[in-house]
Every structure is written in C-alpha cells, then in structure tokens.
Amino acid sequence: LGRRRRGDPVSVLQIALEMVVAFVAVFFIAVTLEAPKRTLRYGALAGGLGWGVYLVGLLFMDIVAATFMASLFIAWIAHLLARFLKTHVTIYFIPAFITLVPGTGVYQSVYSFINKDYAVAQQHLVLTLQISGAIALAIFIVDSLFGLVARIKASKKNSPVK
C-alpha cells in the first residue's frame, strides 16, 4: 500500500484491489490487537473503505487533504459501527487508521537526520506532522459532532413537555 501523489494515474481495478488488501491488513491488525471477534470484519471494512476514500481523494487533492477526508470517513463510520454494535469506538479507530498513519514519513525523517540531510529531513517531518494533524483533527471533529448530537438528544429527552 504505497503513497501516491496527486494526479498519478490509477485504475478502478487498482483502487478496488488496494481496498481488498487494506481490508485484509486491517483485519489481521485487529486480530493482533485482540479486538472482539464479532467486530473484526466491521473494523476491517472501515479500514478498507477508508483506504478507498483516501485513494479517490488523491485523484483530486493533495495527500494531507486526502488523508483528512479519509480520516473523517473512518471516524464517522467507526462511530456508527460502535453505536450499531454497542461497542467502544476505539475498537474500530485503532485498526482502521493504521493504513493512514504516516510511518514512512517518520522513517524518512529519521533516516535523513541520521545522514545529516537536514533539509530533506525537515520536509519529511513537516509532511508527517501535517498528515498526523489531519488525522487528529478529523477524529476531533467527528467525536465533537457525535457528542453534540448526543447532548441535544439528551436535553430534548429530559426537557419538560409543554
């Protein structure tokens, strides 16, 4: 599952194949993290679909924006799955976001620092921090929206009827 740049040619078949690979990868990551068995396929589905959103996003926007859109999608579907299956949302968050985490950028940053190529290291580090920030911001936004909706529902439920 490699990173692409905006505008790189990609076929629908390639996107579908990468989504299947992401599904399998997220499934086994969830198994490794000992997620409940009944949640494995749903978490893997969130990761595979999130990777598809990321790949389609790369066709139209830069890597940070594509990561942000995919993160919004994963966070949203993770919250829906958590409510539907009555489980905690982190069961879906942690495995599904693995495909978007910029591990290569961290590696390249450290490698460039070790080789005293500070300009390249700084470029990799800035991009890595932007991607990480996009993931964190998307999670924050979706968590806040779901929390707001829950508070509104609770206040309507507890308000006296006129």
Side-chain angles (χ1 to χ4, degrees), residues 83-100:
R83 279 148 183 77
F84 177 71
L85 297 171
K86 297 183 182 4
T87 55
H88 200 275
V89 72
T90 56
I91 289 173
Y92 308 103
F93 269 174
I94 295 171
F97 276 109
I98 291 291
T99 57
L100 298 178

Side-chain angles (χ1 to χ4, degrees), residues 38-39 42 74-93 139-153:
R38 69 185 183 95
T39 65
Y42 300 110
I74 290 172
W76 173 73
I77 200 165
H79 274 279
L80 293 179
L81 288 169
R83 279 148 183 77
F84 177 71
L85 297 171
K86 297 183 182 4
T87 55
H88 200 275
V89 72
T90 56
I91 289 173
Y92 308 103
F93 269 174
I139 292 171
F140 174 75
I141 289 170
V142 173
D143 278 351
S144 297
L145 289 175
F146 271 87
L148 180 64
V149 169
R151 280 193 297 275
I152 291 170
K153 284 183 179 180

Side-chain angles (χ1 to χ4, degrees), residues 55-125:
L55 292 176
V56 171
L58 284 179
L59 298 174
F60 304 102
M61 55 190 88
D62 70 339
I63 190 169
V64 177
T67 301
F68 179 70
M69 296 304 293
S71 297
L72 283 173
F73 177 80
I74 290 172
W76 173 73
I77 200 165
H79 274 279
L80 293 179
L81 288 169
R83 279 148 183 77
F84 177 71
L85 297 171
K86 297 183 182 4
T87 55
H88 200 275
V89 72
T90 56
I91 289 173
Y92 308 103
F93 269 174
I94 295 171
F97 276 109
I98 291 291
T99 57
L100 298 178
V101 171
T104 303
V106 173
Y107 172 80
Q108 290 171 336
S109 297
V110 171
Y111 184 80
S112 297
F113 273 120
I114 290 170
N115 289 325
K116 299 184 187 329
D117 193 355
Y118 299 116
V120 173
Q122 184 178 10
Q123 288 175 339
H124 289 300
L125 184 60

Side-chain angles (χ1 to χ4, degrees), residues 14 23 27 103 154-155:
Q14 186 176 4
F23 176 92
F27 182 88
S155 69

